[in-house]
Amino acid sequence: MKQIPYWLDTAPPLPDRSLHSGHSGHSARELPDQADVLVVGGGLTGLSTAYHAALKGASVVLVEKDRIGSGASGRNGSMCTQGITIGVGEARKRYGQERARELYGAFREAVDVVEELTQKEQIDCDFNRCGRLGVAYKPGHFEAMRATQRDLAENFDHETVLLDRGELRTELGSDFYHGALLDPLSAGLHVGKYLYGLADAAERAGALIVERNAATAVRREAGGGFAVETPHGTVRARQVMAATDAYTDRSMPWFRKRLISVGSFVIVTQPLGEERARELIPRARLVVDSKNIGHYVRLTPDHRLAFGGRARFAPSNPASDLRSGEVLRREMVEIFPQLADVAVDYVWGGNVGFSYDRVPHAGEADGVYYSMGYCGHGVQMATYMGRAMAEVMDGHPEANPLRGLGFPKVPVPFYNGTAWFLPFAGAYYKAKDKVS
């Protein structure tokens, strides 16, 4: 098995114009002394911010401590799914119906933004509005989906399709679930191709991207602006955008106190062939189950099955990833017994950024702009929020759909970003899943 993300391993290299150190062999590109905007983080948030700010005429420098997409942006299930992270009922309870509709609309528009960007910049990343199946792990979950379908149609102008257990059999080659709610507008893509295409578009727009060059300190200067220190020099910037999410390090302690990094793991099978793959998911839907410790499943463009989930509440490292892969393989065969003889070609892990209140947050903290805490909805929301924050930095605060939500600290004494309590939380939620 390869212990690297399938999406990055199968993406074509960046064009020669994009002289990233990770692809060209250079230790780093030469940094300018000054920039209008300095972006910290080379995932989808950072790349989208850099791209949209550069289009506005700003001089933009993006620094990434590893390689483009090496964090959560290259380690996910490669899904662009609609729907707010906490669900519409909870959103209405917290924020009221009008604000809940606005937030839900932002999550829905985010998928459109990804599609528009791939078309405008001709990013060949297998973008496909294949639809998402939210599958019911328990009969009671299916009844809750029935109520959600009515709520979405009546209050959020979003039409979905409810499938009972018999109808689901035409969509999924498994008898494991009790029904599903189909959102026809969610999309899949090849996130590795998308990342590299967006990086190339950002550089064509005028942004400078420098890999393997971490921001080690961000200091406000007396005369205004910031000095951002890196191993390869200091850049003075008028504005700084923090786009580090689950991979935020100790150089940004304010954000670390507000983020919980949760491990997530993925396996990808050997190629199945188109016929066998279509027997599993005939219409190539994205599949997400309703368990607390759930799974996300999809077919890849080359007819493999990608099967992801929390697996274990443990940090990602080579040994941990292999153990998590073994767990995921057992769970995959439980759902799809017909795959018992199929080998796994890829296994990897990574971190997902969660906020304590389970919604993304974006705004300004001590002069530093930020967007993070996507809670598993990062592919589309990171792209969308990069665009939104470029507008905010250009003097349009109303462009931020997450404005006014605050960004609460994790209410654990002395918490500094190390989520030591996750194994206990994981055991609790796994127990809940076992209760019938």
Side-chain angles (χ1 to χ4, degrees):
M1 288 186 291
K2 292 185 176 182
Q3 288 191 257
I4 56 176
Y6 161 87
W7 309 112
L8 300 182
D9 190 46
T10 57
L14 284 160
D16 291 340
R17 174 178 52 255
S18 297
L19 298 176
H20 303 280
S21 62
H23 304 279
S24 68
H26 297 287
S27 60
R29 297 175 65 178
E30 185 175 352
L31 284 171
D33 294 329
Q34 295 184 328
D36 293 326
V37 175
L38 188 135
V39 180
V40 182
L44 289 170
T45 304
L47 292 172
S48 179
T49 304
Y51 167 77
H52 287 100
L55 285 182
K56 290 178 167 293
S59 61
V60 181
V61 175
L62 183 152
V63 293
E64 162 57 43
K65 65 183 175 182
D66 196 342
R67 295 183 178 185
I68 292 299
S70 60
S73 293
R75 296 178 175 273
N76 51 67
S78 209
M79 300 179 178
C80 284
T81 57
Q82 300 195 113
I84 190 169
T85 49
I86 54 175
V88 292
E90 178 64 20
R92 180 168 45 238
K93 180 180 176 181
R94 289 188 195 180
Y95 310 121
Q97 178 61 33
E98 184 176 351
R99 186 73 167 108
R101 275 181 62 92
E102 181 183 8
L103 290 169
Y104 192 84
F107 277 77
R108 182 160 47 184
E109 185 183 358
V111 183
D112 298 336
V113 169
V114 174
E115 183 173 28
E116 291 164 6
L117 188 50
T118 61
Q119 292 173 350
K120 177 183 177 182
E121 295 296 340
Q122 298 182 339
I123 301 174
D124 181 8
C125 61
D126 304 292
F127 184 92
N128 177 25
R129 293 270 189 171
C130 51
R132 172 192 182 274
L133 286 170
V135 290
Y137 175 61
K138 299 177 182 179
H141 295 178
F142 180 68
E143 293 307 312
M145 288 175 180
R146 191 186 303 277
T148 297
Q149 183 196 31
R150 290 195 300 269
D151 195 1
L152 289 173
E154 293 172 4
N155 299 309
F156 296 88
D157 301 322
H158 187 181
E159 296 294 334
T160 55
V161 180
L162 194 69
L163 303 171
D164 64 26
R165 192 167 193 166
E167 293 167 325
L168 179 59
R169 199 61 179 82
T170 67
E171 292 278 2
L172 193 67
S174 172
D175 295 318
F176 192 80
Y177 298 105
H178 295 271
L181 189 64
L182 169 63
D183 162 36
L185 298 180
S186 289
L189 78 171
H190 188 302
V191 78
K193 295 178 181 178
Y194 178 54
L195 274 162
Y196 292 169
L198 185 53
D200 181 51
E203 290 214 312
R204 284 189 282 108
L208 174 67
I209 299 175
V210 184
E211 291 181 311
R212 297 197 185 281
N213 192 38
T216 55
V218 179
R219 294 183 288 102
R220 295 197 77 161
E221 296 203 305
F226 295 84
V228 181
E229 297 177 6
T230 81
H232 297 281
T234 297
V235 181
R236 285 174 169 78
R238 183 170 55 86
Q239 296 172 315
V240 172
M241 172 70 181
T244 47
D245 200 22
Y247 290 79
T248 302
D249 61 26
R250 296 181 186 278
S251 67
M252 296 184 176
W254 192 89
F255 300 109
R256 279 177 62 86
K257 293 178 184 293
R258 289 160 172 78
L259 289 167
I260 304 169
S261 292
V262 178
S264 192
F265 303 87
V266 187
I267 57 174
V268 174
T269 68
Q270 68 186 82
L272 303 173
E274 183 173 4
E275 182 178 353
R276 192 173 186 184
R278 295 296 182 181
E279 289 174 357
L280 298 175
I281 311 177
R283 296 176 178 85
R285 308 288 197 193
L286 313 174
V287 182
V288 181
D289 73 24
S290 62
K291 293 173 69 176
N292 290 292
I293 310 297
H295 300 110
Y296 47 94
V297 187
R298 59 160 297 177
L299 297 175
T300 67
D302 59 349
H303 311 301
R304 305 168 185 262
L305 188 76
F307 188 94
R310 300 290 174 255
R312 300 168 64 249
F313 280 81
S316 174
N317 58 55
S320 179
D321 291 356
L322 286 175
R323 289 194 291 271
S324 297
E326 292 170 359
V327 173
L328 289 174
R329 192 181 190 287
R330 289 196 299 269
E331 294 171 340
M332 177 186 74
V333 172
E334 183 180 13
I335 296 169
F336 299 105
Q338 60 270 50
L339 296 182
D341 63 339
V342 170
V344 172
D345 280 356
Y346 291 86
V347 59
W348 72 88
N351 295 326
V352 181
F354 276 75
S355 60
Y356 179 72
D357 56 0
R358 295 181 295 117
V359 293
H361 292 278
E364 184 181 347
D366 195 23
V368 174
Y369 295 94
Y370 66 90
S371 181
M372 52 186 72
Y374 299 116
C375 306
H377 286 243
V379 174
Q380 69 279 8
M381 284 304 292
T383 302
Y384 179 74
M385 290 309 302
R387 186 185 75 167
M389 294 310 294
E391 290 290 334
V392 171
M393 289 189 288
D394 195 36
H396 302 283
E398 72 281 358
N400 178 10
L402 307 177
R403 64 194 179 278
L405 298 185
F407 197 171
K409 289 183 180 180
V410 177
V412 174
F414 310 110
Y415 180 75
N416 65 354
T418 302
W420 53 267
F421 48 82
L422 282 179
F424 303 100
Y428 168 75
Y429 285 114
K430 284 184 177 180
K432 284 190 69 174
D433 284 331
K434 290 179 181 179
V435 176
S436 63

